[in-house]
Amino acid sequence: MIYHLPGVCGTGKTEHIINNIELIKNAETRTILWASLTNQLSEATCERYKERYPDHDSVTMISSENSSSVQSEILQRIESASSLTTQILFISHAALSMLSLDALRQCTIIIDEIPTLISNYQRLKIPLQDESTLGLAPFIDYEDSSFDGFQKIVVKENMKNQAKQFADDLLFHGEPNSDSVKAGDVLFGAIFNPCGLYVSTTDDWRLFEYFDGLEFISKLRQLDSVWILSANLEGLFVDYMLKAMGCSITTVHSLSHLALPLTHPNTSNVEILPFLMNSSTTRSSSFSSYFAGSKACNVIKDCTEEYDVHQLFNQWTCSRFKDNSFIYCKNKYTAPISHASAINLPPMAQGLNSYSDLNMVAFMAHLRPAPEHESAIKRLASDFGICPQTLVESYIRQTSFEAAYQFVSRISFRNLERDENGRLNIEQAQPKCWIIVPDMAHAEYIQRMMPMASINTSFSFQRIPPQINATENARRLTAKATRKAQRDAKNQKFHFDILFIIHQYIDNGLNIKEACEAVGITPRTRRNWIKQYGNDWISWLEEQELSNELKEEINLS
């Protein structure tokens, strides 16, 4: 069961959990694992806990920076926990995801902030000649899928135990985000949850695409006591995936009496300034990477500037904030703002609460998924029976809009006074605050969290909707069809070469299974290819055999 403690930023979720730690502890466990988004945030929470309970000795912060030792250190502490004392280990989300199901079952789990690692999209590109070096080849087969150009990955039934042990070794000893760790994720995904796990193959390499957080969900749904503290969860990508994989989520629990506010009180002095004023319901309204890199004069209405939209956005932000100090996050591909009072922070700013004396903030990153990433989300959605566009929108809501809300919540409107019982005072004076976001979709999402705030488009720009005439549209369709034909022809040649090798092995006395294993495919894949190509394969095979006969005759003469 997953217990969700919702409440907008600044309402004291972390503080309430610290104060009510005995209410959430599972009586059958001796250890609480408190997982924060980052090591830095975990360390700060650990210090807050120690200040509240200075006599509680069994409290430890364990950093996940050294992945080769964090698992063994956590496991050692769990196994040595005293039955008389509850120990609390403060760790990161990443460290939590490394632990085995057996270890997690011995603990009460607290996840501070949405576990965004669930949405981690990974790509592993392996040259065909190097595939054996990562050790995948002995364990996996490739099956046809319903998606053009992709195959499913399955672990051989008689190799599952060895594959699990091999994957454990790769994950335990590998460095984060290394190819060996990714190979371990691929194996675990194929063993426990092959949904969303696909591979595309060319003459030279295989490209594995997968979501490595699904294996983490499969562990969470088997636990009795998991707490998630977050401002939002419903309708986000993590929410969809937790429910799709059978997790039960409830807001009715031992801390329900706290009734933390789900929208910000006293935000009538907050003004949200979208850079783009286009309606959020139109496709041309989004602040995409392509749009941001375009010449401003070509994509912004009544704009004459020759530089790109990024630069215009920077200048516009500085002109709105003038000489005031403000925090902002930029897109990773652009230069920082050259403004003496501008403070650049990373987009994931949860826990960075030392800027609550400022009244101005700009969220300038565009975090929409790349086209290949979006396609992977749609494949994942189809595997779980979710509407593909719905899952894509939930991903954007989480990684773009929710990230924006979390970032802008670092400034002064989060400062809320409480009475002696910790309850928020209803009426509080708030300073004037300004929030800059890329477009109306971001502005409207943030306004839902602070309905008394206003959206001001007086200074906003309007994007010119992209226009495609009939000739250009026909050219694009022709180019797309040509690329598909070329790709299909390349795949067909690749498959025919493999089928011909199998054909020769069979002629030399191997059975079908032995011949297929010799080239690294299954008999089912061979049958599917022969069925797919039909008479084309028969004709091609006859041509090859005739060509070989002619060569032999020439050599004899």
Side-chain angles (χ1 to χ4, degrees), residues 275 296 300 303 307-316 461:
F275 176 74
I300 299 289
C303 180
Y307 44 74
D308 64 28
V309 174
H310 274 307
Q311 292 175 275
L312 181 64
F313 198 3
N314 284 1
Q315 290 185 6
W316 184 79
F461 294 99

Side-chain angles (χ1 to χ4, degrees), residues 105-280:
R105 277 179 168 154
Q106 301 177 56
C107 307
T108 299
I109 311 298
I110 300 173
I111 304 177
D112 198 351
E113 301 295 350
I114 298 170
T116 53
L117 55 85
I118 287 173
S119 55
N120 283 353
Y121 166 67
Q122 298 282 0
R123 307 181 95 203
L124 173 59
K125 186 174 181 179
I126 305 178
L128 288 180
Q129 64 271 25
D130 294 342
E131 185 174 4
S132 60
T133 64
L134 289 179
L136 293 177
F139 304 107
I140 60 176
D141 284 327
Y142 303 96
E143 292 183 352
D144 290 342
S145 77
S146 57
F147 298 102
D148 185 38
F150 290 91
Q151 291 177 290
K152 275 279 196 180
I153 302 163
V154 294
V155 172
K156 297 173 183 176
E157 194 63 36
N158 63 334
M159 297 291 287
K160 282 192 173 180
N161 289 335
Q162 297 95 316
K164 184 178 182 303
Q165 183 59 54
F166 186 72
D168 275 329
D169 291 341
L170 289 175
L171 296 174
F172 192 82
H173 298 293
E175 289 302 314
N177 215 35
S178 65
D179 282 355
S180 60
V181 166
K182 290 182 180 180
D185 287 332
V186 168
L187 279 180
F188 264 128
I191 294 169
F192 297 109
N193 195 353
C195 291
L197 181 56
Y198 290 89
V199 61
S200 55
T201 307
T202 69
D203 291 340
D204 303 317
W205 46 262
R206 295 192 199 276
L207 179 61
F208 297 87
E209 299 183 57
Y210 60 97
F211 292 83
D212 63 354
L214 301 187
E215 197 264 331
F216 179 57
I217 299 180
S218 70
K219 291 185 285 190
L220 290 185
R221 66 183 171 84
Q222 299 178 69
L223 302 177
D224 295 329
S225 184
V226 178
W227 288 76
I228 293 181
L229 327 180
S230 67
N232 291 308
L233 181 60
E234 186 175 358
L236 303 184
F237 182 87
V238 166
D239 179 46
Y240 272 95
M241 295 316 303
L242 287 170
K243 291 175 179 175
M245 294 183 65
C247 293
S248 297
I249 304 174
T250 182
T251 55
V252 179
H253 44 66
S254 59
L255 298 185
S256 302
H257 64 282
L258 295 173
L260 301 180
L262 302 181
T263 59
H264 284 272
N266 308 316
T267 50
S268 56
N269 275 342
V270 175
E271 198 169 89
I272 306 170
L273 311 172
F275 176 74
L276 288 181
M277 62 184 295
N278 300 60
S279 168
S280 62

Side-chain angles (χ1 to χ4, degrees), residues 248-370:
S248 297
I249 304 174
T250 182
T251 55
V252 179
H253 44 66
S254 59
L255 298 185
S256 302
H257 64 282
L258 295 173
L260 301 180
L262 302 181
T263 59
H264 284 272
N266 308 316
T267 50
S268 56
N269 275 342
V270 175
E271 198 169 89
I272 306 170
L273 311 172
F275 176 74
L276 288 181
M277 62 184 295
N278 300 60
S279 168
S280 62
T281 60
T282 59
R283 191 165 181 82
S284 63
S285 68
S286 63
F287 196 98
S288 64
S289 179
Y290 171 79
F291 166 74
S294 304
K295 274 190 176 182
C297 58
N298 293 336
V299 293
I300 299 289
K301 187 176 180 180
D302 300 328
C303 180
T304 59
E305 305 297 349
E306 290 289 328
Y307 44 74
D308 64 28
V309 174
H310 274 307
Q311 292 175 275
L312 181 64
F313 198 3
N314 284 1
Q315 290 185 6
W316 184 79
T317 298
C318 292
S319 66
R320 300 277 71 78
F321 290 161
K322 297 184 171 52
D323 295 327
N324 296 288
S325 295
F326 64 93
I327 58 172
Y328 77 101
C329 69
K330 67 180 186 66
N331 183 51
K332 62 182 178 180
Y333 299 114
T334 57
I337 291 178
S338 55
H339 187 292
S341 301
I343 304 167
N344 183 20
L345 299 178
M348 299 295 284
Q350 288 90 328
L352 302 182
N353 298 333
S354 58
Y355 302 96
S356 59
D357 59 317
L358 301 180
N359 302 323
M360 298 182 182
V361 58
F363 183 84
M364 306 173 69
H366 45 84
L367 305 176
R368 300 175 69 89

Side-chain angles (χ1 to χ4, degrees), residues 276-553:
L276 288 181
M277 62 184 295
N278 300 60
S279 168
S280 62
T281 60
T282 59
R283 191 165 181 82
S284 63
S285 68
S286 63
F287 196 98
S288 64
S289 179
Y290 171 79
F291 166 74
S294 304
K295 274 190 176 182
C297 58
N298 293 336
V299 293
I300 299 289
K301 187 176 180 180
D302 300 328
C303 180
T304 59
E305 305 297 349
E306 290 289 328
Y307 44 74
D308 64 28
V309 174
H310 274 307
Q311 292 175 275
L312 181 64
F313 198 3
N314 284 1
Q315 290 185 6
W316 184 79
T317 298
C318 292
S319 66
R320 300 277 71 78
F321 290 161
K322 297 184 171 52
D323 295 327
N324 296 288
S325 295
F326 64 93
I327 58 172
Y328 77 101
C329 69
K330 67 180 186 66
N331 183 51
K332 62 182 178 180
Y333 299 114
T334 57
I337 291 178
S338 55
H339 187 292
S341 301
I343 304 167
N344 183 20
L345 299 178
M348 299 295 284
Q350 288 90 328
L352 302 182
N353 298 333
S354 58
Y355 302 96
S356 59
D357 59 317
L358 301 180
N359 302 323
M360 298 182 182
V361 58
F363 183 84
M364 306 173 69
H366 45 84
L367 305 176
R368 300 175 69 89
E372 65 275 7
H373 188 171
E374 184 170 326
S375 296
I377 296 171
K378 290 179 178 178
R379 290 195 297 273
L380 181 67
S382 297
D383 281 352
F384 280 105
I386 304 171
C387 170
Q389 193 54 42
T390 298
L391 195 60
V392 170
E393 289 171 0
S394 76
Y395 188 91
I396 294 171
R397 197 176 299 124
Q398 176 178 302
T399 59
S400 294
F401 307 153
E402 178 65 15
Y405 163 69
Q406 289 286 342
F407 187 88
V408 304
S409 294
R410 301 308 104 195
I411 62 172
S412 61
F413 69 81
R414 68 174 284 121
N415 298 332
L416 302 170
E417 295 177 1
R418 295 178 174 81
D419 61 22
E420 63 276 7
N421 296 316
R423 290 188 293 266
L424 295 172
N425 294 329
I426 296 175
E427 296 297 333
Q428 299 182 33
Q430 290 280 306
K432 183 73 174 177
C433 292
W434 288 268
I435 296 171
I436 284 178
V437 290
D439 52 45
M440 283 295 291
H442 285 80
E444 290 169 359
Y445 184 91
I446 291 170
Q447 190 187 43
R448 283 195 289 272
M449 306 301 295
M450 48 186 79
M452 289 184 286
S454 60
I455 297 176
N456 183 355
T457 60
S458 301
F459 306 99
S460 303
F461 294 99
Q462 190 167 359
R463 181 177 177 179
I464 301 171
Q467 300 293 328
I468 304 176
N469 58 40
T471 302
E472 174 61 16
N473 189 49
R475 186 195 68 77
R476 292 187 182 188
L477 290 175
T478 300
K480 183 178 179 180
T482 300
R483 289 194 299 271
K484 185 178 185 304
Q486 291 172 342
R487 185 173 64 249
D488 290 346
K490 190 174 183 179
N491 287 338
Q492 179 176 308
K493 181 182 182 304
F494 177 64
H495 293 159
F496 280 7
D497 288 341
I498 293 176
L499 288 173
F500 188 61
I501 293 172
I502 294 173
H503 177 75
Q504 290 177 315
Y505 281 151
I506 294 173
D507 279 350
N508 291 329
L510 294 183
N511 62 39
I512 291 176
K513 183 179 179 181
E514 291 170 339
C516 289
E517 288 178 350
V519 296
I521 69 168
T522 63
R524 180 191 292 180
T525 299
R526 172 183 173 272
R527 288 196 303 272
N528 289 339
W529 286 351
I530 291 175
K531 182 179 178 180
Q532 175 185 349
Y533 295 116
N535 290 332
D536 288 344
W537 158 245
I538 295 172
S539 300
W540 187 87
L541 179 60
E542 289 174 350
E543 289 176 5
Q544 300 306 305
E545 292 180 334
L546 178 60
S547 175
N548 287 340
E549 289 174 6
L550 290 174
K551 287 179 181 178
E552 289 178 7
E553 290 178 6

